[in-house]
Amino acid sequence: MNRTPTWSRCQKINTNVTCMSSQDVLLHCREKVMVDIKITSAHLNYMKLFSNIDKNSLSMRLFVIAIVWIGNFFIATVTDNALLMIFKFSFLWGTFSTAFILVFLLFSTQYTSKAFYDLMDIQDVFRHNAFNLVTDPFGVGLIGVYDFGMMSPFTMVDNAVLIFAVVFIVTSFARSLIIRVLYLMLTNCVDVNITESPHYLLFAILPLSTEFMDAHKIFVLYIYSYLTAALVACLAMFTTIIARLLHSEYRAVKNIYIVGLLCFLGFNLSIAVTLLTTQKIMGIMYGLNTCSLYLGGMKVAIVMWLYGVQRYSTDIHFWLGFKPTQFWKCIWVMLPIVIWTAVFNKLKDMNELKDASQKIVALLWMFLTLITVVVIQAKVIAKYILQNNIVGVFRSNFKYGPPDIDDRKKRRNFDEITQSRQCRHDCMILDDKYECNHLPLIFRSRSSLPSAESSLTNIYEDSSKPKKTSSVLDVSVMNMN
């Protein structure tokens, strides 16, 4: 937020390099003169920060990476309620800030309509391989159906899913529209003739494009504040999930020590990644997207095909109190096929890479990820083999379900038919007057005053003899309780 940020002014990098500040770029733009992005101050500043390996840039990168992982350690060790509040703040900040910037764009530039039509071009989507977007959006699923279902106890689970899907898709489209407008503003005056990457887009193209806007500091604040809020929540969630999975396997080690070890490993791996070239980093991105799709497809296939869609629907019914419809069950059955189709498409694209270093790095990343998963699964299989219970490998763990022991017992004893008060022969009696056997419900009177109406309960209350038991009466009272 300086008056003159680093990407807008020329710095002394090399005497033989031509540099043009953002102010000079704006002057050339007014004269309708195109400028090569390689001579702009934003590009040279990016090269100095992320491509040069001198002691100043390396020390700065080391300092920033250390601050990130130290902050992640403290955030990942907070309570669950505090972590949930961070997720909700991240989601709300992203939603409202995106809406504010979008309204600002609608009244400040003429490129909004063109950007909208560009995003709606289906051919352009397939040309740029939209399957990468399956793993790129962050924050998905952190604040989801459960929180939208809490809006009202009468909100059905289908409505909650639809509301969450609509809100997420609309905000994602709005963010894409904002980035597209900024990109169009830049390319109107600057010739971007180099290979673009998400990293270069974030730290070179977008900062320079904000200089062409009227309130450019608002856009800079939006881009980096939204990115920070979203990545803080996602990194803390990732660290917490991995730490708890390891803690369940190694109970003797405290959870805070496991979180510290994960942050230390993340710090060391981040240093190694910053020293790689751009081509190798792109190879890592290919391997990361492929592994994410592969692991996600395997997990969904195991849950939907081995654990079963019916059991999964019962879990949701117990969790939210509403039964999923047949439409969502069919979607869940077909979901692994869709994900695996995207996996094969990523493998085909990886095979078409021309750079050998990209292929090697991508395959190495995939191998390390898969070997880690195989080692963990082999440990589980070996444990059941030693217990002579190979069938237990395909069964869910006894700790599966709600974290509370009493809630897990309720889940094991949960019956959808009893919960919905629906007859086993699918009759339509769902009111409060008849049971499933079509007998009228009889309630025990709790009033201390004698009632003028004659009923079975008044007979027992007025009798001086010991009350007789009634199986019909007790069953009806139990059902109402």
Short mmCIF file of all heavy atoms in Angstrom, two decimals, residues 107-167:
data_model
loop_
_atom_site.label_atom_id
_atom_site.label_comp_id
_atom_site.label_asym_id
_atom_site.label_seq_id
_atom_site.Cartn_x
_atom_site.Cartn_y
_atom_site.Cartn_z
N PHE A 107 -20.03 0.08 -12.98
CA PHE A 107 -20.24 1.50 -13.22
C PHE A 107 -18.95 2.25 -13.55
O PHE A 107 -18.97 3.48 -13.66
CB PHE A 107 -20.88 2.15 -11.98
CG PHE A 107 -22.24 1.62 -11.65
CD1 PHE A 107 -22.38 0.63 -10.69
CD2 PHE A 107 -23.36 2.08 -12.30
CE1 PHE A 107 -23.63 0.12 -10.38
CE2 PHE A 107 -24.62 1.58 -12.00
CZ PHE A 107 -24.76 0.59 -11.03
N SER A 108 -17.83 1.55 -13.69
CA SER A 108 -16.56 2.26 -13.85
C SER A 108 -15.81 1.93 -15.14
O SER A 108 -14.89 2.65 -15.49
CB SER A 108 -15.64 1.96 -12.66
OG SER A 108 -15.33 0.59 -12.60
N THR A 109 -16.16 0.86 -15.83
CA THR A 109 -15.40 0.49 -17.03
C THR A 109 -16.32 -0.10 -18.07
O THR A 109 -17.40 -0.63 -17.76
CB THR A 109 -14.29 -0.53 -16.69
OG1 THR A 109 -13.59 -0.87 -17.88
CG2 THR A 109 -14.87 -1.78 -16.06
N GLN A 110 -15.90 0.00 -19.32
CA GLN A 110 -16.69 -0.53 -20.43
C GLN A 110 -16.29 -1.94 -20.80
O GLN A 110 -16.86 -2.52 -21.73
CB GLN A 110 -16.53 0.38 -21.66
CG GLN A 110 -15.15 0.33 -22.31
CD GLN A 110 -14.16 1.28 -21.67
OE1 GLN A 110 -14.40 1.77 -20.55
NE2 GLN A 110 -13.07 1.55 -22.35
N TYR A 111 -15.30 -2.53 -20.12
CA TYR A 111 -14.82 -3.86 -20.45
C TYR A 111 -15.62 -4.97 -19.75
O TYR A 111 -15.37 -6.14 -19.99
CB TYR A 111 -13.35 -4.01 -20.07
CG TYR A 111 -12.42 -3.24 -20.98
CD1 TYR A 111 -11.95 -1.99 -20.62
CD2 TYR A 111 -12.02 -3.77 -22.20
CE1 TYR A 111 -11.08 -1.28 -21.45
CE2 TYR A 111 -11.17 -3.07 -23.04
CZ TYR A 111 -10.71 -1.82 -22.66
OH TYR A 111 -9.87 -1.12 -23.48
N THR A 112 -16.54 -4.61 -18.88
CA THR A 112 -17.25 -5.62 -18.11
C THR A 112 -18.11 -6.50 -19.02
O THR A 112 -18.12 -7.73 -18.88
CB THR A 112 -18.13 -4.96 -17.04
OG1 THR A 112 -17.32 -4.09 -16.24
CG2 THR A 112 -18.77 -6.01 -16.15
N SER A 113 -18.83 -5.89 -19.94
CA SER A 113 -19.69 -6.67 -20.84
C SER A 113 -18.85 -7.58 -21.75
O SER A 113 -19.22 -8.74 -21.99
CB SER A 113 -20.57 -5.74 -21.67
OG SER A 113 -19.76 -4.85 -22.43
N LYS A 114 -17.74 -7.07 -22.26
CA LYS A 114 -16.87 -7.90 -23.11
C LYS A 114 -16.29 -9.07 -22.33
O LYS A 114 -16.20 -10.19 -22.84
CB LYS A 114 -15.75 -7.05 -23.70
CG LYS A 114 -14.88 -7.79 -24.71
CD LYS A 114 -13.82 -6.91 -25.28
CE LYS A 114 -13.04 -7.64 -26.39
NZ LYS A 114 -12.47 -8.90 -25.93
N ALA A 115 -15.88 -8.81 -21.08
CA ALA A 115 -15.36 -9.89 -20.25
C ALA A 115 -16.43 -10.94 -19.98
O ALA A 115 -16.14 -12.14 -19.94
CB ALA A 115 -14.82 -9.32 -18.93
N PHE A 116 -17.66 -10.50 -19.80
CA PHE A 116 -18.76 -11.44 -19.56
C PHE A 116 -18.95 -12.36 -20.76
O PHE A 116 -19.08 -13.58 -20.62
CB PHE A 116 -20.04 -10.67 -19.25
CG PHE A 116 -21.25 -11.55 -19.06
CD1 PHE A 116 -21.47 -12.19 -17.86
CD2 PHE A 116 -22.15 -11.74 -20.11
CE1 PHE A 116 -22.58 -13.01 -17.69
CE2 PHE A 116 -23.27 -12.54 -19.94
CZ PHE A 116 -23.48 -13.18 -18.73
N TYR A 117 -18.96 -11.79 -21.97
CA TYR A 117 -19.15 -12.61 -23.16
C TYR A 117 -17.95 -13.53 -23.40
O TYR A 117 -18.10 -14.65 -23.91
CB TYR A 117 -19.39 -11.72 -24.38
CG TYR A 117 -20.73 -11.01 -24.34
CD1 TYR A 117 -20.81 -9.62 -24.36
CD2 TYR A 117 -21.91 -11.74 -24.28
CE1 TYR A 117 -22.04 -8.97 -24.31
CE2 TYR A 117 -23.14 -11.10 -24.24
CZ TYR A 117 -23.20 -9.72 -24.25
OH TYR A 117 -24.41 -9.10 -24.20
N ASP A 118 -16.76 -13.08 -23.04
CA ASP A 118 -15.58 -13.95 -23.17
C ASP A 118 -15.67 -15.16 -22.26
O ASP A 118 -15.30 -16.29 -22.65
CB ASP A 118 -14.31 -13.16 -22.87
CG ASP A 118 -13.98 -12.16 -23.96
OD1 ASP A 118 -14.56 -12.29 -25.06
OD2 ASP A 118 -13.17 -11.25 -23.72
N LEU A 119 -16.15 -14.95 -21.03
CA LEU A 119 -16.27 -16.06 -20.10
C LEU A 119 -17.37 -17.04 -20.50
O LEU A 119 -17.31 -18.22 -20.14
CB LEU A 119 -16.55 -15.54 -18.69
CG LEU A 119 -15.42 -14.79 -18.01
CD1 LEU A 119 -15.87 -14.25 -16.65
CD2 LEU A 119 -14.19 -15.67 -17.83
N MET A 120 -18.36 -16.56 -21.23
CA MET A 120 -19.45 -17.43 -21.66
C MET A 120 -19.14 -18.19 -22.94
O MET A 120 -19.97 -18.95 -23.43
CB MET A 120 -20.73 -16.61 -21.86
CG MET A 120 -21.23 -15.93 -20.60
SD MET A 120 -21.57 -17.09 -19.25
CE MET A 120 -22.96 -17.98 -19.94
N ASP A 121 -17.96 -17.98 -23.50
CA ASP A 121 -17.55 -18.68 -24.72
C ASP A 121 -17.16 -20.11 -24.37
O ASP A 121 -16.12 -20.35 -23.74
CB ASP A 121 -16.39 -17.94 -25.39
CG ASP A 121 -16.04 -18.54 -26.75
OD1 ASP A 121 -16.76 -19.47 -27.19
OD2 ASP A 121 -15.07 -18.07 -27.36
N ILE A 122 -17.98 -21.07 -24.77
CA ILE A 122 -17.73 -22.46 -24.40
C ILE A 122 -16.49 -23.00 -25.11
O ILE A 122 -15.72 -23.77 -24.53
CB ILE A 122 -18.96 -23.32 -24.74
CG1 ILE A 122 -20.18 -22.81 -23.96
CG2 ILE A 122 -18.71 -24.79 -24.44
CD1 ILE A 122 -21.45 -23.58 -24.25
N GLN A 123 -16.26 -22.59 -26.34
CA GLN A 123 -15.09 -23.07 -27.07
C GLN A 123 -13.80 -22.62 -26.38
O GLN A 123 -12.82 -23.37 -26.32
CB GLN A 123 -15.12 -22.55 -28.50
CG GLN A 123 -16.26 -23.12 -29.34
CD GLN A 123 -16.25 -22.59 -30.76
OE1 GLN A 123 -15.45 -21.72 -31.10
NE2 GLN A 123 -17.14 -23.10 -31.59
N ASP A 124 -13.80 -21.43 -25.84
CA ASP A 124 -12.62 -20.94 -25.13
C ASP A 124 -12.36 -21.76 -23.88
O ASP A 124 -11.21 -21.99 -23.50
CB ASP A 124 -12.81 -19.46 -24.77
CG ASP A 124 -11.55 -18.87 -24.15
OD1 ASP A 124 -10.56 -18.69 -24.87
OD2 ASP A 124 -11.57 -18.61 -22.92
N VAL A 125 -13.43 -22.21 -23.22
CA VAL A 125 -13.28 -23.03 -22.02
C VAL A 125 -12.58 -24.34 -22.35
O VAL A 125 -11.63 -24.76 -21.68
CB VAL A 125 -14.65 -23.28 -21.37
CG1 VAL A 125 -14.53 -24.32 -20.27
CG2 VAL A 125 -15.22 -21.98 -20.81
N PHE A 126 -13.04 -25.01 -23.41
CA PHE A 126 -12.41 -26.29 -23.77
C PHE A 126 -11.01 -26.08 -24.34
O PHE A 126 -10.15 -26.96 -24.21
CB PHE A 126 -13.30 -27.02 -24.80
CG PHE A 126 -14.51 -27.64 -24.19
CD1 PHE A 126 -15.74 -27.02 -24.31
CD2 PHE A 126 -14.43 -28.82 -23.49
CE1 PHE A 126 -16.88 -27.59 -23.75
CE2 PHE A 126 -15.55 -29.41 -22.93
CZ PHE A 126 -16.78 -28.78 -23.06
N ARG A 127 -10.78 -24.95 -24.95
CA ARG A 127 -9.46 -24.70 -25.52
C ARG A 127 -8.41 -24.51 -24.44
O ARG A 127 -7.24 -24.85 -24.61
CB ARG A 127 -9.54 -23.46 -26.42
CG ARG A 127 -8.30 -23.21 -27.25
CD ARG A 127 -8.59 -22.27 -28.41
NE ARG A 127 -9.18 -21.03 -27.99
CZ ARG A 127 -10.42 -20.65 -28.31
NH1 ARG A 127 -11.20 -21.44 -29.03
NH2 ARG A 127 -10.90 -19.49 -27.90
N HIS A 128 -8.80 -24.00 -23.28
CA HIS A 128 -7.86 -23.78 -22.18
C HIS A 128 -7.94 -24.87 -21.11
O HIS A 128 -7.47 -24.68 -20.00
CB HIS A 128 -8.12 -22.41 -21.54
CG HIS A 128 -7.70 -21.26 -22.40
ND1 HIS A 128 -8.50 -20.76 -23.40
CD2 HIS A 128 -6.56 -20.53 -22.42
CE1 HIS A 128 -7.89 -19.75 -24.00
NE2 HIS A 128 -6.71 -19.60 -23.43
N ASN A 129 -8.57 -25.99 -21.44
CA ASN A 129 -8.59 -27.16 -20.56
C ASN A 129 -9.20 -26.81 -19.21
O ASN A 129 -8.52 -26.61 -18.21
CB ASN A 129 -7.17 -27.72 -20.36
CG ASN A 129 -7.21 -29.11 -19.73
OD1 ASN A 129 -8.28 -29.63 -19.43
ND2 ASN A 129 -6.05 -29.69 -19.56
N ALA A 130 -10.53 -26.76 -19.18
CA ALA A 130 -11.24 -26.37 -17.96
C ALA A 130 -11.17 -27.44 -16.87
O ALA A 130 -11.60 -27.19 -15.75
CB ALA A 130 -12.71 -26.09 -18.29
N PHE A 131 -10.62 -28.63 -17.18
CA PHE A 131 -10.53 -29.66 -16.15
C PHE A 131 -9.56 -29.24 -15.03
O PHE A 131 -9.63 -29.77 -13.92
CB PHE A 131 -10.06 -31.00 -16.75
CG PHE A 131 -11.13 -31.69 -17.52
CD1 PHE A 131 -11.09 -31.73 -18.90
CD2 PHE A 131 -12.19 -32.29 -16.88
CE1 PHE A 131 -12.07 -32.38 -19.62
CE2 PHE A 131 -13.18 -32.94 -17.59
CZ PHE A 131 -13.13 -32.98 -18.97
N ASN A 132 -8.65 -28.32 -15.33
CA ASN A 132 -7.76 -27.84 -14.27
C ASN A 132 -8.53 -27.12 -13.18
O ASN A 132 -8.10 -27.07 -12.02
CB ASN A 132 -6.72 -26.88 -14.85
CG ASN A 132 -5.69 -27.62 -15.69
OD1 ASN A 132 -5.48 -28.81 -15.50
ND2 ASN A 132 -5.07 -26.92 -16.61
N LEU A 133 -9.69 -26.55 -13.55
CA LEU A 133 -10.46 -25.80 -12.57
C LEU A 133 -11.10 -26.69 -11.53
O LEU A 133 -11.66 -26.19 -10.56
CB LEU A 133 -11.55 -24.99 -13.29
CG LEU A 133 -11.04 -23.99 -14.34
CD1 LEU A 133 -12.20 -23.28 -15.00
CD2 LEU A 133 -10.12 -22.96 -13.68
N VAL A 134 -11.04 -28.02 -11.73
CA VAL A 134 -11.60 -28.92 -10.71
C VAL A 134 -10.81 -28.80 -9.41
O VAL A 134 -11.37 -28.87 -8.31
CB VAL A 134 -11.59 -30.37 -11.23
CG1 VAL A 134 -12.10 -31.32 -10.16
CG2 VAL A 134 -12.44 -30.48 -12.48
N THR A 135 -9.52 -28.61 -9.50
CA THR A 135 -8.68 -28.56 -8.31
C THR A 135 -8.21 -27.16 -7.97
O THR A 135 -7.68 -26.95 -6.88
CB THR A 135 -7.44 -29.45 -8.50
OG1 THR A 135 -6.76 -29.01 -9.69
CG2 THR A 135 -7.83 -30.90 -8.67
N ASP A 136 -8.39 -26.19 -8.86
CA ASP A 136 -7.88 -24.85 -8.59
C ASP A 136 -8.69 -24.07 -7.57
O ASP A 136 -8.13 -23.39 -6.71
CB ASP A 136 -7.78 -24.05 -9.89
CG ASP A 136 -6.62 -24.51 -10.75
OD1 ASP A 136 -5.77 -25.25 -10.21
OD2 ASP A 136 -6.55 -24.16 -11.93
N PRO A 137 -10.04 -24.05 -7.61
CA PRO A 137 -10.78 -23.22 -6.65
C PRO A 137 -10.54 -23.71 -5.23
O PRO A 137 -10.69 -24.88 -4.92
CB PRO A 137 -12.25 -23.42 -7.05
CG PRO A 137 -12.21 -23.92 -8.42
CD PRO A 137 -10.96 -24.71 -8.54
N PHE A 138 -10.12 -22.80 -4.37
CA PHE A 138 -9.89 -23.17 -2.98
C PHE A 138 -11.07 -22.73 -2.13
O PHE A 138 -11.83 -21.84 -2.47
CB PHE A 138 -8.59 -22.53 -2.45
CG PHE A 138 -8.38 -21.11 -2.92
CD1 PHE A 138 -9.05 -20.06 -2.36
CD2 PHE A 138 -7.49 -20.85 -3.95
CE1 PHE A 138 -8.86 -18.78 -2.79
CE2 PHE A 138 -7.29 -19.56 -4.40
CZ PHE A 138 -7.98 -18.51 -3.81
N GLY A 139 -11.21 -23.36 -0.96
CA GLY A 139 -12.30 -23.02 -0.06
C GLY A 139 -13.56 -23.81 -0.29
O GLY A 139 -14.54 -23.61 0.39
N VAL A 140 -13.57 -24.73 -1.25
CA VAL A 140 -14.79 -25.47 -1.53
C VAL A 140 -14.99 -26.53 -0.46
O VAL A 140 -14.08 -27.23 -0.08
CB VAL A 140 -14.70 -26.10 -2.92
CG1 VAL A 140 -14.20 -27.48 -2.90
CG2 VAL A 140 -16.00 -26.07 -3.60
N GLY A 141 -16.20 -26.61 0.07
CA GLY A 141 -16.53 -27.63 1.05
C GLY A 141 -16.20 -27.29 2.48
O GLY A 141 -16.60 -28.02 3.39
N LEU A 142 -15.47 -26.21 2.74
CA LEU A 142 -15.15 -25.87 4.13
C LEU A 142 -16.39 -25.36 4.86
O LEU A 142 -16.71 -25.79 5.96
CB LEU A 142 -14.03 -24.83 4.18
CG LEU A 142 -12.70 -25.28 3.58
CD1 LEU A 142 -11.65 -24.19 3.69
CD2 LEU A 142 -12.20 -26.54 4.25
N ILE A 143 -17.06 -24.40 4.27
CA ILE A 143 -18.34 -23.93 4.79
C ILE A 143 -19.37 -24.33 3.76
O ILE A 143 -19.51 -23.72 2.73
CB ILE A 143 -18.33 -22.40 4.99
CG1 ILE A 143 -17.21 -22.02 5.94
CG2 ILE A 143 -19.66 -21.92 5.53
CD1 ILE A 143 -17.32 -22.62 7.32
N GLY A 144 -20.07 -25.39 4.05
CA GLY A 144 -20.89 -25.98 3.01
C GLY A 144 -22.33 -26.20 3.41
O GLY A 144 -22.99 -25.33 3.97
N VAL A 145 -22.81 -27.39 3.11
CA VAL A 145 -24.23 -27.70 3.24
C VAL A 145 -24.70 -27.57 4.68
O VAL A 145 -25.80 -27.08 4.94
CB VAL A 145 -24.47 -29.13 2.71
CG1 VAL A 145 -25.93 -29.50 2.85
CG2 VAL A 145 -24.04 -29.23 1.26
N TYR A 146 -23.90 -27.98 5.62
CA TYR A 146 -24.33 -27.96 7.02
C TYR A 146 -24.64 -26.54 7.47
O TYR A 146 -25.66 -26.28 8.11
CB TYR A 146 -23.24 -28.58 7.91
CG TYR A 146 -23.60 -28.56 9.38
CD1 TYR A 146 -24.51 -29.47 9.90
CD2 TYR A 146 -23.04 -27.63 10.25
CE1 TYR A 146 -24.84 -29.46 11.23
CE2 TYR A 146 -23.35 -27.61 11.58
CZ TYR A 146 -24.26 -28.53 12.08
OH TYR A 146 -24.60 -28.51 13.41
N ASP A 147 -23.76 -25.59 7.14
CA ASP A 147 -23.96 -24.22 7.58
C ASP A 147 -25.13 -23.57 6.85
O ASP A 147 -25.86 -22.77 7.44
CB ASP A 147 -22.68 -23.41 7.36
CG ASP A 147 -21.54 -23.96 8.18
OD1 ASP A 147 -21.43 -23.60 9.35
OD2 ASP A 147 -20.78 -24.77 7.65
N PHE A 148 -25.31 -23.88 5.57
CA PHE A 148 -26.48 -23.36 4.88
C PHE A 148 -27.76 -24.01 5.39
O PHE A 148 -28.81 -23.39 5.40
CB PHE A 148 -26.34 -23.56 3.37
CG PHE A 148 -25.47 -22.55 2.71
CD1 PHE A 148 -24.14 -22.83 2.46
CD2 PHE A 148 -25.95 -21.30 2.37
CE1 PHE A 148 -23.32 -21.89 1.87
CE2 PHE A 148 -25.14 -20.36 1.77
CZ PHE A 148 -23.81 -20.66 1.52
N GLY A 149 -27.67 -25.26 5.81
CA GLY A 149 -28.83 -25.91 6.38
C GLY A 149 -29.23 -25.35 7.73
O GLY A 149 -30.37 -25.52 8.18
N MET A 150 -28.29 -24.68 8.41
CA MET A 150 -28.58 -24.08 9.71
C MET A 150 -29.36 -22.78 9.57
O MET A 150 -29.73 -22.17 10.57
CB MET A 150 -27.29 -23.82 10.48
CG MET A 150 -26.55 -25.08 10.89
SD MET A 150 -27.47 -26.06 12.07
CE MET A 150 -27.33 -24.99 13.50
N MET A 151 -29.59 -22.31 8.35
CA MET A 151 -30.35 -21.08 8.18
C MET A 151 -31.75 -21.23 8.74
O MET A 151 -32.31 -20.31 9.32
CB MET A 151 -30.42 -20.71 6.70
CG MET A 151 -29.11 -20.29 6.10
SD MET A 151 -29.30 -19.72 4.40
CE MET A 151 -30.04 -21.15 3.64
N SER A 152 -32.34 -22.38 8.59
CA SER A 152 -33.68 -22.64 9.09
C SER A 152 -33.82 -24.12 9.32
O SER A 152 -33.35 -24.93 8.53
CB SER A 152 -34.73 -22.15 8.08
OG SER A 152 -36.01 -22.60 8.46
N PRO A 153 -34.48 -24.53 10.41
CA PRO A 153 -34.68 -25.97 10.63
C PRO A 153 -35.62 -26.58 9.60
O PRO A 153 -35.71 -27.80 9.50
CB PRO A 153 -35.29 -26.02 12.04
CG PRO A 153 -35.89 -24.67 12.24
CD PRO A 153 -35.02 -23.72 11.49
N PHE A 154 -36.31 -25.75 8.84
CA PHE A 154 -37.23 -26.27 7.83
C PHE A 154 -36.60 -26.33 6.45
O PHE A 154 -37.27 -26.65 5.47
CB PHE A 154 -38.49 -25.39 7.77
CG PHE A 154 -39.21 -25.30 9.09
CD1 PHE A 154 -39.07 -24.17 9.88
CD2 PHE A 154 -40.00 -26.34 9.55
CE1 PHE A 154 -39.72 -24.08 11.09
CE2 PHE A 154 -40.64 -26.26 10.76
CZ PHE A 154 -40.51 -25.13 11.54
N THR A 155 -35.33 -25.97 6.34
CA THR A 155 -34.64 -26.03 5.06
C THR A 155 -34.28 -27.49 4.74
O THR A 155 -33.56 -28.12 5.48
CB THR A 155 -33.36 -25.18 5.09
OG1 THR A 155 -33.72 -23.85 5.44
CG2 THR A 155 -32.69 -25.18 3.73
N MET A 156 -34.79 -27.98 3.63
CA MET A 156 -34.51 -29.36 3.26
C MET A 156 -33.05 -29.48 2.82
O MET A 156 -32.42 -28.50 2.41
CB MET A 156 -35.43 -29.78 2.11
CG MET A 156 -36.90 -29.79 2.47
SD MET A 156 -37.29 -30.99 3.75
CE MET A 156 -37.02 -32.50 2.87
N VAL A 157 -32.52 -30.67 2.89
CA VAL A 157 -31.11 -30.88 2.54
C VAL A 157 -30.88 -30.60 1.06
O VAL A 157 -29.84 -30.08 0.66
CB VAL A 157 -30.69 -32.31 2.91
CG1 VAL A 157 -31.48 -33.35 2.15
CG2 VAL A 157 -29.20 -32.52 2.67
N ASP A 158 -31.86 -30.91 0.21
CA ASP A 158 -31.70 -30.61 -1.22
C ASP A 158 -31.60 -29.11 -1.45
O ASP A 158 -30.79 -28.64 -2.24
CB ASP A 158 -32.88 -31.18 -2.01
CG ASP A 158 -32.90 -32.69 -1.97
OD1 ASP A 158 -31.96 -33.27 -1.40
OD2 ASP A 158 -33.84 -33.30 -2.49
N ASN A 159 -32.45 -28.35 -0.75
CA ASN A 159 -32.39 -26.89 -0.88
C ASN A 159 -31.07 -26.34 -0.37
O ASN A 159 -30.51 -25.40 -0.95
CB ASN A 159 -33.55 -26.25 -0.12
CG ASN A 159 -34.90 -26.65 -0.68
OD1 ASN A 159 -34.99 -27.06 -1.83
ND2 ASN A 159 -35.93 -26.57 0.13
N ALA A 160 -30.55 -26.91 0.73
CA ALA A 160 -29.27 -26.45 1.26
C ALA A 160 -28.14 -26.70 0.27
O ALA A 160 -27.27 -25.85 0.07
CB ALA A 160 -28.97 -27.14 2.60
N VAL A 161 -28.16 -27.86 -0.37
CA VAL A 161 -27.14 -28.18 -1.37
C VAL A 161 -27.22 -27.21 -2.54
O VAL A 161 -26.22 -26.68 -3.03
CB VAL A 161 -27.28 -29.64 -1.85
CG1 VAL A 161 -26.39 -29.90 -3.04
CG2 VAL A 161 -26.94 -30.60 -0.72
N LEU A 162 -28.43 -26.94 -3.01
CA LEU A 162 -28.61 -26.04 -4.14
C LEU A 162 -28.19 -24.62 -3.79
O LEU A 162 -27.55 -23.93 -4.59
CB LEU A 162 -30.07 -26.07 -4.59
CG LEU A 162 -30.55 -27.37 -5.25
CD1 LEU A 162 -32.03 -27.30 -5.57
CD2 LEU A 162 -29.75 -27.65 -6.51
N ILE A 163 -28.54 -24.17 -2.58
CA ILE A 163 -28.16 -22.81 -2.18
C ILE A 163 -26.65 -22.68 -2.11
O ILE A 163 -26.06 -21.70 -2.60
CB ILE A 163 -28.81 -22.47 -0.83
CG1 ILE A 163 -30.33 -22.35 -0.98
CG2 ILE A 163 -28.25 -21.15 -0.28
CD1 ILE A 163 -31.06 -22.20 0.32
N PHE A 164 -25.98 -23.67 -1.51
CA PHE A 164 -24.53 -23.61 -1.42
C PHE A 164 -23.89 -23.65 -2.81
O PHE A 164 -22.95 -22.90 -3.09
CB PHE A 164 -24.02 -24.79 -0.58
CG PHE A 164 -22.52 -24.94 -0.64
CD1 PHE A 164 -21.72 -24.01 -0.03
CD2 PHE A 164 -21.94 -26.00 -1.31
CE1 PHE A 164 -20.34 -24.14 -0.07
CE2 PHE A 164 -20.56 -26.14 -1.36
CZ PHE A 164 -19.77 -25.20 -0.74
N ALA A 165 -24.41 -24.52 -3.68
CA ALA A 165 -23.84 -24.61 -5.03
C ALA A 165 -24.03 -23.31 -5.80
O ALA A 165 -23.11 -22.84 -6.48
CB ALA A 165 -24.51 -25.77 -5.78
N VAL A 166 -25.20 -22.69 -5.67
CA VAL A 166 -25.46 -21.44 -6.38
C VAL A 166 -24.55 -20.33 -5.87
O VAL A 166 -23.95 -19.57 -6.66
CB VAL A 166 -26.94 -21.06 -6.25
CG1 VAL A 166 -27.17 -19.63 -6.72
CG2 VAL A 166 -27.82 -22.02 -7.03
N VAL A 167 -24.42 -20.21 -4.55
CA VAL A 167 -23.58 -19.15 -3.98
C VAL A 167 -22.12 -19.34 -4.39
O VAL A 167 -21.44 -18.38 -4.79
CB VAL A 167 -23.71 -19.13 -2.44
CG1 VAL A 167 -22.69 -18.20 -1.81
CG2 VAL A 167 -25.11 -18.70 -2.05
#
